[in-house]
Amino acid sequence: MLRFAVSPTNDLRLDTLRIALYNYIVARQRKEDFIVRIEDMDKEKNREGMDDEILDLLGLFGVHGSQVIHQSQNVRFHSAMALQLVHERKAFSCFCSDNWLANKREEAKQAGKGYAYDDACRNLPAELIIDNTNPFSIRIIRPDADIVIHDKILGERSFTPDGIDSFIILNQNKTPTYNFAVGVDDMLSDISFIIRSEEFLEETPKQEHVRNALKYEKQIEYAHLPVMTNLDDAPNIKELLKEGFLPEAILNYLVSIGNEMPQEIFTLEEAIEFLDLETIPNIPVSFNMDALKEINRAHLRGLDAKELSRFVGFADAEIGALARVYLAEVSTTKELKVKIAPIFSERNIPEAFTRECTVLANAIKEAPYFDEYVAFKDYVINETSLEDDNYLIALRLLLTNATEGPDIAEIYQHLKNYIGEIVK
RNA sequence: GGCCCCGUCGUCUAGCGGUUAGGAUCCAUGGUUUUCAUCCAUGUUACAGGAGUUCAAUUCUCCUCGGGGUCACCA
Protein backbone atom coordinates (compact mmCIF):
# COMPACT_ATOMS: atom_id res chain seq x y z
CA MET A 1 0.00 0.00 0.00
CA LEU A 2 1.31 3.43 -0.96
CA ARG A 3 -0.10 6.76 0.00
CA PHE A 4 -0.10 10.41 -0.84
CA ALA A 5 -0.45 12.58 2.25
CA VAL A 6 -1.46 16.19 1.83
CA SER A 7 -2.79 18.91 4.08
CA PRO A 8 -5.85 20.83 2.87
CA THR A 9 -4.42 24.19 3.88
CA ASN A 10 -3.01 25.52 0.63
CA ASP A 11 -3.34 25.19 -3.11
CA LEU A 12 -1.65 22.09 -4.47
CA ARG A 13 1.90 22.98 -5.35
CA LEU A 14 4.11 21.51 -8.05
CA ASP A 15 6.45 19.81 -5.62
CA THR A 16 3.54 18.23 -3.78
CA LEU A 17 1.98 17.00 -7.00
CA ARG A 18 5.36 15.55 -7.95
CA ILE A 19 5.35 13.47 -4.79
CA ALA A 20 1.80 12.31 -5.48
CA LEU A 21 2.77 11.23 -9.00
CA TYR A 22 5.79 9.27 -7.84
CA ASN A 23 3.80 7.46 -5.19
CA TYR A 24 1.04 6.65 -7.63
CA ILE A 25 3.46 5.47 -10.33
CA VAL A 26 5.37 3.24 -7.94
CA ALA A 27 2.12 1.81 -6.56
CA ARG A 28 1.14 0.86 -10.09
CA GLN A 29 4.58 -0.61 -10.72
CA ARG A 30 4.37 -2.75 -7.61
CA LYS A 31 0.72 -3.54 -8.27
CA GLU A 32 -0.18 -2.28 -4.83
CA ASP A 33 -3.07 -0.13 -3.69
CA PHE A 34 -2.71 3.62 -3.47
CA ILE A 35 -4.61 5.84 -1.03
CA VAL A 36 -4.88 9.55 -0.45
CA ARG A 37 -4.64 10.81 3.09
CA ILE A 38 -5.91 14.29 3.90
CA GLU A 39 -3.91 15.53 6.89
CA ASP A 40 -6.51 17.83 8.35
CA MET A 41 -5.39 18.01 11.98
CA ASP A 42 -4.88 21.76 11.96
CA LYS A 43 -8.46 22.98 12.18
CA GLU A 44 -7.34 26.61 12.09
CA LYS A 45 -5.50 26.38 8.81
CA ASN A 46 -7.75 23.94 6.96
CA ARG A 47 -9.51 25.54 4.03
CA GLU A 48 -13.08 24.61 3.33
CA GLY A 49 -13.42 22.43 0.25
CA MET A 50 -9.69 22.25 -0.36
CA ASP A 51 -9.68 18.47 0.07
CA ASP A 52 -12.16 17.99 -2.78
CA GLU A 53 -10.30 20.46 -4.92
CA ILE A 54 -7.06 18.55 -4.43
CA LEU A 55 -8.76 15.24 -5.25
CA ASP A 56 -10.24 16.75 -8.41
CA LEU A 57 -6.84 18.04 -9.48
CA LEU A 58 -5.20 14.68 -8.84
CA GLY A 59 -7.91 13.11 -10.98
CA LEU A 60 -6.94 15.40 -13.87
CA PHE A 61 -3.49 13.88 -13.74
CA GLY A 62 -4.84 10.35 -13.70
CA VAL A 63 -4.10 9.85 -10.01
CA HIS A 64 -6.92 8.09 -8.20
CA GLY A 65 -6.81 6.68 -4.69
CA SER A 66 -8.65 3.47 -3.92
CA GLN A 67 -9.73 5.28 -0.76
CA VAL A 68 -9.48 8.71 0.79
CA ILE A 69 -8.71 8.94 4.48
CA HIS A 70 -9.07 12.03 6.60
CA GLN A 71 -6.49 11.97 9.34
CA SER A 72 -8.87 13.54 11.83
CA GLN A 73 -10.96 10.36 11.65
CA ASN A 74 -8.12 8.46 13.29
CA VAL A 75 -7.77 10.58 16.41
CA ARG A 76 -9.29 7.94 18.68
CA PHE A 77 -6.56 5.51 17.57
CA HIS A 78 -3.89 8.13 18.13
CA SER A 79 -5.16 8.72 21.66
CA ALA A 80 -5.43 5.03 22.46
CA MET A 81 -1.91 4.35 21.30
CA ALA A 82 -0.46 7.30 23.16
CA LEU A 83 -2.17 5.99 26.30
CA GLN A 84 -0.68 2.58 25.66
CA LEU A 85 2.80 4.09 25.41
CA VAL A 86 2.30 5.95 28.67
CA HIS A 87 1.21 2.72 30.39
CA GLU A 88 4.25 0.95 29.09
CA ARG A 89 6.44 3.83 30.29
CA LYS A 90 7.58 4.55 26.77
CA ALA A 91 6.05 8.00 27.00
CA PHE A 92 5.69 10.50 29.80
CA SER A 93 3.84 13.64 30.83
CA CYS A 94 5.78 16.84 30.33
CA PHE A 95 4.88 19.97 32.30
CA CYS A 96 7.56 22.18 30.83
CA SER A 97 6.21 25.57 29.80
CA ASP A 98 6.55 27.12 26.40
CA ASN A 99 8.74 29.85 27.80
CA TRP A 100 11.03 27.52 29.57
CA LEU A 101 11.52 25.40 26.49
CA ALA A 102 12.10 28.47 24.36
CA ASN A 103 14.82 29.56 26.76
CA LYS A 104 16.46 26.14 26.55
CA ARG A 105 16.45 26.40 22.82
CA GLU A 106 17.98 29.83 22.94
CA GLU A 107 20.67 28.62 25.35
CA ALA A 108 21.59 25.77 23.04
CA LYS A 109 21.79 28.18 20.14
CA GLN A 110 24.07 30.54 22.08
CA ALA A 111 26.28 27.62 23.01
CA GLY A 112 26.46 26.64 19.33
CA LYS A 113 24.91 23.26 19.93
CA GLY A 114 21.92 21.47 18.53
CA TYR A 115 18.86 21.61 20.76
CA ALA A 116 17.34 18.49 22.26
CA TYR A 117 14.85 18.21 25.10
CA ASP A 118 16.69 17.50 28.36
CA ASP A 119 14.18 14.88 29.54
CA ALA A 120 13.53 16.95 32.66
CA CYS A 121 10.05 15.49 33.15
CA ARG A 122 10.95 11.97 32.16
CA ASN A 123 11.28 10.60 35.67
CA LEU A 124 8.95 12.78 37.70
CA PRO A 125 7.71 10.98 40.80
CA ALA A 126 4.08 9.88 40.58
CA GLU A 127 2.93 12.21 43.35
CA LEU A 128 4.35 15.22 41.53
CA ILE A 129 2.34 14.26 38.48
CA ILE A 130 -0.90 13.57 40.35
CA ASP A 131 -0.73 16.86 42.25
CA ASN A 132 0.20 18.90 39.23
CA THR A 133 -2.67 20.95 37.87
CA ASN A 134 -0.57 22.60 35.16
CA PRO A 135 -1.25 21.74 31.55
CA PHE A 136 0.94 19.00 30.16
CA SER A 137 1.87 17.37 26.90
CA ILE A 138 2.91 13.77 26.27
CA ARG A 139 6.40 13.00 25.04
CA ILE A 140 7.71 9.74 23.69
CA ILE A 141 10.99 8.63 25.26
CA ARG A 142 13.85 8.96 22.82
CA PRO A 143 15.30 5.77 21.34
CA ASP A 144 18.42 4.44 23.08
CA ALA A 145 20.25 3.67 19.85
CA ASP A 146 20.65 5.15 16.39
CA ILE A 147 17.84 4.53 13.94
CA VAL A 148 18.98 3.53 10.47
CA ILE A 149 16.91 4.22 7.39
CA HIS A 150 17.52 2.42 4.12
CA ASP A 151 16.58 4.73 1.33
CA LYS A 152 16.33 3.85 -2.37
CA ILE A 153 17.85 7.15 -3.39
CA LEU A 154 20.01 8.23 -0.44
CA GLY A 155 21.30 4.82 0.57
CA GLU A 156 21.78 4.20 4.27
CA ARG A 157 21.28 7.07 6.72
CA SER A 158 21.52 6.87 10.46
CA PHE A 159 20.01 9.20 13.03
CA THR A 160 21.12 9.72 16.62
CA PRO A 161 18.81 9.55 19.64
CA ASP A 162 19.55 13.24 20.25
CA GLY A 163 18.39 14.12 16.77
CA ILE A 164 15.21 12.13 17.20
CA ASP A 165 14.68 13.48 20.70
CA SER A 166 11.93 12.82 23.26
CA PHE A 167 9.46 14.62 21.05
CA ILE A 168 5.88 15.54 21.83
CA ILE A 169 3.26 13.09 20.62
CA LEU A 170 0.19 14.68 22.21
CA ASN A 171 -0.22 18.43 22.52
CA GLN A 172 -1.45 19.97 25.75
CA ASN A 173 -4.94 19.91 24.28
CA LYS A 174 -4.31 16.18 23.69
CA THR A 175 -4.45 16.30 19.94
CA PRO A 176 -1.76 14.17 18.30
CA THR A 177 1.26 15.86 16.75
CA TYR A 178 2.28 15.37 13.15
CA ASN A 179 4.98 12.75 13.50
CA PHE A 180 2.94 10.66 15.88
CA ALA A 181 -0.20 10.78 13.77
CA VAL A 182 1.70 9.97 10.60
CA GLY A 183 3.65 7.16 12.21
CA VAL A 184 0.44 5.60 13.48
CA ASP A 185 -1.58 6.20 10.31
CA ASP A 186 1.01 4.58 8.06
CA MET A 187 0.90 1.58 10.36
CA LEU A 188 -2.89 1.45 10.37
CA SER A 189 -3.03 1.67 6.59
CA ASP A 190 -0.41 -1.04 6.18
CA ILE A 191 1.82 1.27 4.13
CA SER A 192 4.75 -0.58 2.56
CA PHE A 193 6.60 2.13 0.67
CA ILE A 194 6.83 5.85 1.29
CA ILE A 195 8.06 8.37 -1.24
CA ARG A 196 8.39 11.91 -0.03
CA SER A 197 10.54 14.97 -0.34
CA GLU A 198 13.96 14.94 1.22
CA GLU A 199 13.00 17.94 3.30
CA PHE A 200 11.03 15.52 5.46
CA LEU A 201 13.97 13.20 5.94
CA GLU A 202 14.42 14.18 9.58
CA GLU A 203 10.82 13.18 10.30
CA THR A 204 11.27 9.64 9.06
CA PRO A 205 13.24 8.25 12.02
CA LYS A 206 10.74 9.85 14.41
CA GLN A 207 7.88 8.04 12.76
CA GLU A 208 9.91 4.83 12.72
CA HIS A 209 10.53 5.32 16.42
CA VAL A 210 6.80 5.64 17.07
CA ARG A 211 6.12 2.37 15.30
CA ASN A 212 9.03 0.64 17.01
CA ALA A 213 7.65 1.70 20.38
CA LEU A 214 4.28 0.30 19.36
CA LYS A 215 6.06 -2.96 18.47
CA TYR A 216 5.09 -2.71 14.82
CA GLU A 217 7.41 -4.99 12.91
CA LYS A 218 6.70 -4.45 9.24
CA GLN A 219 9.61 -2.67 7.53
CA ILE A 220 8.51 0.27 5.45
CA GLU A 221 10.67 1.09 2.42
CA TYR A 222 11.62 4.68 1.66
CA ALA A 223 12.63 6.92 -1.17
CA HIS A 224 13.31 10.54 -0.32
CA LEU A 225 13.21 12.58 -3.51
CA PRO A 226 15.62 15.50 -3.89
CA VAL A 227 13.93 18.74 -2.97
CA MET A 228 12.45 20.99 -5.60
CA THR A 229 13.59 24.58 -5.14
CA ASN A 230 12.76 27.87 -6.85
CA LEU A 231 9.07 27.33 -6.26
CA ASP A 232 8.37 30.59 -4.46
CA ASP A 233 7.58 32.49 -7.62
CA ALA A 234 6.58 29.51 -9.72
CA PRO A 235 2.93 29.27 -10.72
CA ASN A 236 0.73 26.76 -8.95
CA ILE A 237 -1.06 23.92 -10.70
CA LYS A 238 -4.32 25.75 -11.28
CA GLU A 239 -2.49 28.68 -12.83
CA LEU A 240 -0.51 26.42 -15.13
CA LEU A 241 -3.66 24.71 -16.35
CA LYS A 242 -5.23 28.08 -16.98
CA GLU A 243 -2.16 29.17 -18.92
CA GLY A 244 -2.68 26.28 -21.29
CA PHE A 245 -0.40 23.55 -20.02
CA LEU A 246 -1.68 20.02 -20.47
CA PRO A 247 -1.85 17.82 -17.38
CA GLU A 248 0.08 15.10 -19.20
CA ALA A 249 2.84 17.61 -19.96
CA ILE A 250 3.03 18.80 -16.36
CA LEU A 251 3.17 15.16 -15.29
CA ASN A 252 5.91 14.46 -17.82
CA TYR A 253 7.89 17.43 -16.57
CA LEU A 254 7.54 16.65 -12.88
CA VAL A 255 8.57 13.03 -13.31
CA SER A 256 11.50 13.77 -15.60
CA ILE A 257 13.00 16.66 -13.66
CA GLY A 258 16.23 15.51 -12.04
CA ASN A 259 15.59 12.03 -13.34
CA GLU A 260 17.06 10.63 -16.53
CA MET A 261 14.28 8.73 -18.31
CA PRO A 262 14.86 6.58 -21.42
CA GLN A 263 12.86 9.08 -23.46
CA GLU A 264 12.19 12.75 -22.88
CA ILE A 265 8.50 12.67 -23.73
CA PHE A 266 6.30 10.08 -22.10
CA THR A 267 2.81 9.39 -20.82
CA LEU A 268 1.71 8.23 -17.39
CA GLU A 269 1.58 4.65 -18.60
CA GLU A 270 5.08 4.92 -20.04
CA ALA A 271 6.31 6.45 -16.81
CA ILE A 272 4.96 3.41 -14.99
CA GLU A 273 6.92 1.28 -17.39
CA PHE A 274 10.20 3.21 -17.22
CA LEU A 275 10.57 4.86 -13.84
CA ASP A 276 13.44 3.55 -11.76
CA LEU A 277 13.87 5.19 -8.37
CA GLU A 278 17.29 3.65 -7.88
CA THR A 279 18.81 5.69 -10.70
CA ILE A 280 17.64 9.07 -9.45
CA PRO A 281 20.65 11.16 -8.42
CA ASN A 282 20.48 12.93 -5.11
CA ILE A 283 20.66 16.44 -6.51
CA PRO A 284 18.17 19.22 -5.75
CA VAL A 285 16.07 20.19 -8.73
CA SER A 286 14.72 23.60 -9.60
CA PHE A 287 11.62 24.58 -11.48
CA ASN A 288 12.36 25.68 -15.02
CA MET A 289 9.56 27.22 -17.04
CA ASP A 290 11.38 26.85 -20.35
CA ALA A 291 11.80 23.13 -19.87
CA LEU A 292 8.14 22.78 -18.97
CA LYS A 293 7.14 24.77 -22.06
CA GLU A 294 9.27 22.57 -24.27
CA ILE A 295 7.60 19.45 -22.93
CA ASN A 296 4.15 21.01 -23.23
CA ARG A 297 4.85 21.88 -26.83
CA ALA A 298 5.85 18.27 -27.53
CA HIS A 299 2.65 16.96 -25.97
CA LEU A 300 0.53 19.43 -27.93
CA ARG A 301 2.28 18.33 -31.14
CA GLY A 302 1.39 14.77 -30.32
CA LEU A 303 -2.32 15.50 -30.05
CA ASP A 304 -4.70 14.39 -32.75
CA ALA A 305 -5.40 17.38 -35.04
CA LYS A 306 -9.07 17.57 -34.23
CA GLU A 307 -8.38 17.34 -30.51
CA LEU A 308 -5.81 20.11 -30.77
CA SER A 309 -8.33 22.30 -32.59
CA ARG A 310 -10.65 22.10 -29.59
CA PHE A 311 -8.03 23.77 -27.44
CA VAL A 312 -8.14 26.81 -29.71
CA GLY A 313 -11.91 26.96 -29.91
CA PHE A 314 -12.71 24.90 -33.00
CA ALA A 315 -13.63 21.33 -33.81
CA ASP A 316 -11.93 20.94 -37.13
CA ALA A 317 -8.93 18.77 -37.98
CA GLU A 318 -7.70 21.27 -40.57
CA ILE A 319 -7.52 24.05 -38.00
CA GLY A 320 -5.87 21.66 -35.59
CA ALA A 321 -3.22 21.01 -38.24
CA LEU A 322 -2.86 24.76 -38.69
CA ALA A 323 -2.42 25.20 -34.95
CA ARG A 324 0.26 22.53 -35.02
CA VAL A 325 2.23 24.65 -37.48
CA TYR A 326 2.13 27.51 -34.99
CA LEU A 327 3.63 25.27 -32.30
CA ALA A 328 6.93 26.14 -33.92
CA GLU A 329 6.72 29.45 -32.11
CA VAL A 330 4.46 29.02 -29.09
CA SER A 331 4.06 26.33 -26.50
CA THR A 332 0.74 26.62 -24.67
CA THR A 333 -2.88 26.39 -25.77
CA LYS A 334 -3.48 29.92 -24.53
CA GLU A 335 -0.68 31.27 -26.73
CA LEU A 336 -1.95 29.17 -29.59
CA LYS A 337 -5.37 30.77 -29.32
CA VAL A 338 -3.77 34.19 -29.59
CA LYS A 339 -2.19 33.09 -32.88
CA ILE A 340 -5.20 31.33 -34.40
CA ALA A 341 -8.07 33.61 -33.42
CA PRO A 342 -6.92 36.64 -35.48
CA ILE A 343 -6.79 34.51 -38.64
CA PHE A 344 -10.55 34.18 -38.50
CA SER A 345 -11.19 37.71 -37.33
CA GLU A 346 -11.60 40.98 -39.15
CA ARG A 347 -8.34 42.17 -40.73
CA ASN A 348 -6.33 44.87 -39.08
CA ILE A 349 -4.15 46.19 -41.88
CA PRO A 350 -1.34 48.65 -41.06
CA GLU A 351 -1.35 51.90 -43.01
CA ALA A 352 1.80 51.00 -44.93
CA PHE A 353 0.18 47.95 -46.50
CA THR A 354 -3.32 49.17 -47.28
CA ARG A 355 -2.62 49.67 -50.96
CA GLU A 356 -1.02 46.25 -51.51
CA CYS A 357 -3.67 44.56 -49.45
CA THR A 358 -6.56 46.07 -51.32
CA VAL A 359 -5.08 45.11 -54.67
CA LEU A 360 -4.21 41.62 -53.49
CA ALA A 361 -7.58 41.05 -51.88
CA ASN A 362 -9.36 41.93 -55.09
CA ALA A 363 -7.19 39.52 -57.03
CA ILE A 364 -7.69 36.74 -54.51
CA LYS A 365 -11.45 37.15 -54.61
CA GLU A 366 -11.39 36.57 -58.36
CA ALA A 367 -8.82 33.76 -58.16
CA PRO A 368 -9.68 30.14 -58.84
CA TYR A 369 -8.82 27.44 -56.30
CA PHE A 370 -5.15 26.48 -56.07
CA ASP A 371 -3.97 23.41 -54.30
CA GLU A 372 -0.40 24.66 -53.94
CA TYR A 373 0.76 27.90 -52.37
CA VAL A 374 3.33 28.59 -55.08
CA ALA A 375 0.70 28.42 -57.81
CA PHE A 376 -1.64 30.57 -55.76
CA LYS A 377 1.06 33.13 -55.06
CA ASP A 378 2.27 33.24 -58.66
CA TYR A 379 -1.28 33.77 -59.83
CA VAL A 380 -2.10 36.70 -57.54
CA ILE A 381 1.31 38.30 -58.10
CA ASN A 382 0.84 38.01 -61.79
CA GLU A 383 -2.63 39.50 -61.60
CA THR A 384 -1.53 42.43 -59.48
CA SER A 385 2.02 42.98 -60.78
CA LEU A 386 3.25 44.05 -57.36
CA GLU A 387 6.97 44.03 -56.74
CA ASP A 388 9.57 43.77 -53.97
CA ASP A 389 9.18 42.15 -50.58
CA ASN A 390 6.21 44.15 -49.40
CA TYR A 391 3.70 42.10 -51.31
CA LEU A 392 4.76 39.02 -49.34
CA ILE A 393 4.05 40.72 -46.07
CA ALA A 394 0.78 42.03 -47.47
CA LEU A 395 -0.19 38.54 -48.54
CA ARG A 396 0.66 37.21 -45.10
CA LEU A 397 -1.46 39.96 -43.58
CA LEU A 398 -4.43 39.00 -45.70
CA LEU A 399 -4.08 35.32 -44.91
CA THR A 400 -3.13 35.44 -41.24
CA ASN A 401 -3.77 38.98 -40.00
CA ALA A 402 -0.14 39.17 -38.86
CA THR A 403 3.11 40.42 -40.34
CA GLU A 404 5.13 37.46 -39.20
CA GLY A 405 4.67 33.80 -38.48
CA PRO A 406 5.60 30.33 -39.66
CA ASP A 407 6.22 29.35 -43.26
CA ILE A 408 3.35 30.85 -45.25
CA ALA A 409 3.33 27.94 -47.73
CA GLU A 410 2.65 25.54 -44.91
CA ILE A 411 -0.06 27.78 -43.51
CA TYR A 412 -1.70 27.96 -46.94
CA GLN A 413 -2.04 24.20 -47.04
CA HIS A 414 -4.40 24.33 -44.07
CA LEU A 415 -6.04 27.59 -44.98
CA LYS A 416 -6.74 27.14 -48.69
CA ASN A 417 -10.27 25.92 -48.13
CA TYR A 418 -11.08 28.97 -46.05
CA ILE A 419 -9.71 31.63 -48.40
CA GLY A 420 -13.18 32.82 -49.36
CA GLU A 421 -14.10 33.15 -45.72
CA ILE A 422 -11.07 35.05 -44.50
CA VAL A 423 -10.21 37.34 -47.42
CA LYS A 424 -13.07 39.78 -47.84
C1' G B 1 25.02 28.28 14.86
C1' G B 2 24.38 22.27 15.25
C1' C B 3 23.33 18.27 11.90
C1' C B 4 22.62 16.56 6.71
C1' C B 5 22.96 17.02 1.31
C1' C B 6 24.93 19.16 -3.18
C1' G B 7 28.99 22.06 -6.60
C1' U B 8 30.76 19.68 -14.75
C1' C B 9 29.90 24.84 -20.63
C1' G B 10 25.67 31.19 -19.58
C1' U B 11 21.40 27.37 -18.55
C1' C B 12 19.69 21.93 -18.07
C1' U B 13 22.76 17.93 -17.82
C1' A B 14 26.00 12.75 -19.37
C1' G B 15 30.11 10.80 -16.78
C1' C B 16 30.61 6.38 -11.81
C1' G B 17 40.14 5.93 -11.88
C1' G B 18 42.76 6.23 -18.04
C1' U B 19 37.26 10.06 -22.46
C1' U B 20 39.92 14.59 -28.08
C1' A B 21 35.10 15.61 -20.95
C1' G B 22 29.48 13.89 -24.62
C1' G B 23 24.40 15.86 -25.52
C1' A B 24 20.45 19.66 -25.32
C1' U B 25 19.65 24.82 -25.17
C1' C B 26 21.52 29.83 -25.62
C1' C B 27 24.91 32.85 -28.42
C1' A B 28 27.87 33.87 -33.11
C1' U B 29 28.72 32.90 -38.39
C1' G B 30 27.21 30.73 -43.04
C1' G B 31 23.30 28.36 -45.99
C1' U B 32 17.97 27.14 -47.46
C1' U B 33 13.11 29.65 -47.55
C1' U B 34 11.78 36.11 -52.75
C1' U B 35 9.82 38.97 -45.56
C1' C B 36 10.16 37.39 -39.99
C1' A B 37 10.33 32.75 -37.92
C1' U B 38 11.32 27.64 -38.85
C1' C B 39 15.05 24.34 -40.78
C1' C B 40 20.35 22.79 -41.87
C1' A B 41 25.77 23.37 -41.20
C1' U B 42 29.93 25.28 -38.51
C1' G B 43 32.05 27.54 -34.23
C1' U B 44 33.16 29.73 -29.01
C1' U B 45 32.40 28.14 -23.87
C1' A B 46 32.88 23.80 -18.12
C1' C B 47 35.11 19.79 -14.10
C1' A B 48 34.46 26.03 -7.54
C1' G B 49 39.59 26.39 -5.01
C1' G B 50 43.60 23.90 -2.32
C1' A B 51 46.02 19.63 -0.28
C1' G B 52 46.47 14.37 -0.28
C1' U B 53 45.83 8.71 -2.11
C1' U B 54 47.40 6.65 -7.00
C1' C B 55 51.56 5.05 -12.52
C1' A B 56 46.99 7.95 -13.50
C1' A B 57 41.83 12.02 -10.25
C1' U B 58 36.10 15.38 -13.04
C1' U B 59 35.68 10.55 -10.58
C1' C B 60 38.27 8.41 -3.96
C1' U B 61 39.72 11.23 1.03
C1' C B 62 40.31 15.84 3.84
C1' C B 63 40.04 21.27 4.25
C1' U B 64 38.19 26.05 2.34
C1' C B 65 34.55 28.60 -0.37
C1' G B 66 29.62 28.65 -2.48
C1' G B 67 24.37 26.78 -2.75
C1' G B 68 20.23 24.06 -0.51
C1' G B 69 17.56 21.47 3.40
C1' U B 70 16.42 20.85 8.55
C1' C B 71 16.39 22.00 13.77
C1' A B 72 7.72 23.67 16.83
C1' C B 73 2.71 21.96 21.64
C1' C B 74 2.32 23.36 12.03
C1' A B 75 1.27 19.72 8.95
Side-chain angles (χ1 to χ4, degrees):
Chain A
M1 180 83 76
L2 281 86
R3 46 66 157 190
F4 169 57
V6 61
S7 55
T9 53
N10 287 100
D11 283 326
L12 190 63
R13 294 176 9 146
L14 280 169
D15 51 347
T16 316
L17 175 62
R18 172 168 171 254
I19 299 297
L21 293 171
Y22 269 93
N23 275 292
Y24 179 75
I25 289 167
V26 171
R28 291 277 307 275
Q29 285 182 336
R30 295 165 63 110
K31 301 193 181 0
E32 293 192 49
D33 264 353
F34 169 83
I35 59 174
V36 176
R37 185 168 69 222
I38 306 289
E39 304 199 322
D40 57 349
M41 298 298 283
D42 190 337
K43 300 291 182 214
E44 306 273 305
K45 288 193 202 160
N46 284 348
R47 271 164 54 187
E48 183 71 25
M50 186 56 80
D51 48 356
D52 286 331
E53 189 181 308
I54 288 171
L55 291 171
D56 286 348
L57 273 177
L58 289 176
L60 268 185
F61 290 87
V63 174
H64 302 279
S66 63
Q67 50 172 321
V68 176
I69 294 176
H70 283 74
Q71 194 166 46
S72 55
Q73 294 165 346
N74 281 349
V75 167
R76 63 205 158 102
F77 297 116
H78 303 142
S79 306
M81 290 185 191
L83 188 62
Q84 180 191 333
L85 290 179
V86 171
H87 279 316
E88 293 174 357
R89 303 199 175 280
K90 290 174 174 172
F92 59 90
S93 306
C94 173
F95 296 89
C96 295
S97 73
D98 244 3
N99 263 345
W100 198 75
L101 291 171
N103 284 340
K104 285 283 180 187
R105 239 177 256 123
E106 188 56 32
E107 275 175 34
K109 196 176 173 185
Q110 294 301 329
K113 289 180 183 167
Y115 166 79
Y117 178 63
D118 60 5
D119 280 358
C121 297
R122 176 167 165 181
N123 293 310
L124 289 182
E127 59 270 25
L128 261 184
I129 296 175
I130 299 271
D131 286 345
N132 203 328
T133 55
N134 291 320
F136 64 97
S137 59
I138 305 292
R139 288 180 183 269
I140 190 169
I141 293 177
R142 67 181 62 198
D144 42 27
D146 286 6
I147 287 184
V148 177
I149 302 293
H150 302 273
D151 187 280
K152 294 265 186 273
I153 295 169
L154 306 177
E156 197 170 277
R157 289 291 174 85
S158 84
F159 300 84
T160 62
D162 261 2
I164 293 160
D165 207 3
S166 299
F167 63 93
I168 292 174
I169 58 173
L170 291 190
N171 297 324
Q172 283 179 357
N173 67 8
K174 302 304 172 283
T175 59
T177 58
Y178 170 73
N179 279 311
F180 185 60
V182 170
V184 170
D185 289 344
D186 285 335
M187 178 175 90
L188 292 177
S189 294
D190 191 28
I191 299 300
S192 53
F193 196 124
I194 294 174
I195 300 169
R196 62 177 144 211
S197 165
E198 199 196 335
E199 64 188 302
F200 296 113
L201 181 62
E202 299 287 326
E203 319 297 344
T204 299
K206 296 188 177 192
Q207 295 160 20
E208 282 277 299
H209 179 48
V210 165
R211 286 188 292 267
N212 290 342
L214 290 167
K215 301 193 200 72
Y216 186 68
E217 285 180 354
K218 176 166 178 164
Q219 278 302 307
I220 296 181
E221 295 176 77
Y222 295 99
H224 288 85
L225 284 182
V227 292
M228 206 172 161
T229 58
N230 268 13
L231 279 178
D232 288 343
D233 39 38
N236 68 31
I237 317 282
K238 274 191 289 183
E239 287 164 343
L240 285 177
L241 294 171
K242 218 166 119 191
E243 281 302 310
F245 289 90
L246 300 177
E248 43 274 51
I250 298 172
L251 178 149
N252 188 157
Y253 174 70
L254 289 176
V255 175
S256 59
I257 183 171
N259 172 23
E260 200 74 6
M261 293 285 272
Q263 57 193 53
E264 276 180 44
I265 303 303
F266 51 83
T267 62
L268 174 59
E269 295 304 318
E270 286 169 329
I272 291 166
E273 189 182 334
F274 296 134
L275 180 66
D276 181 5
L277 289 176
E278 316 249 354
T279 64
I280 296 179
N282 177 27
I283 299 171
V285 297
S286 60
F287 176 72
N288 183 325
M289 184 55 106
D290 290 336
L292 174 60
K293 279 186 175 172
E294 206 44 57
I295 288 174
N296 197 53
R297 185 200 304 255
H299 279 269
L300 285 171
R301 268 206 187 100
L303 286 180
D304 170 78
K306 192 158 184 181
E307 205 180 341
L308 179 57
S309 77
R310 290 204 183 88
F311 285 103
V312 292
F314 294 84
D316 180 319
E318 207 57 65
I319 292 175
L322 174 67
R324 197 178 282 154
V325 173
Y326 275 90
L327 282 175
E329 44 188 56
V330 297
S331 51
T332 67
T333 59
K334 190 175 168 185
E335 293 169 331
L336 221 40
K337 243 182 185 161
V338 172
K339 294 288 182 186
I340 302 299
I343 297 175
F344 298 94
S345 310
E346 195 179 329
R347 293 294 175 265
N348 180 17
I349 308 292
E351 190 84 25
F353 297 100
T354 45
R355 191 182 66 85
E356 281 95 342
C357 282
T358 310
V359 176
L360 277 173
N362 286 332
I364 292 170
K365 273 182 265 186
E366 302 298 321
Y369 171 84
F370 290 98
D371 194 50
E372 294 296 328
Y373 168 72
V374 175
F376 168 77
K377 181 196 69 180
D378 288 347
Y379 173 84
V380 291
I381 298 308
N382 208 30
E383 291 297 300
T384 56
S385 47
L386 286 167
E387 282 173 13
D388 64 67
D389 291 349
N390 260 8
Y391 71 83
L392 279 172
I393 301 177
L395 188 55
R396 180 182 282 282
L397 268 167
L398 283 174
L399 294 179
T400 69
N401 211 0
T403 53
E404 48 188 55
D407 183 6
I408 192 74
E410 209 174 340
I411 288 174
Y412 179 82
Q413 280 310 308
H414 305 297
L415 229 41
K416 59 193 177 192
N417 292 316
Y418 302 91
I419 297 290
E421 253 175 78
I422 60 178
V423 181
K424 291 174 185 158

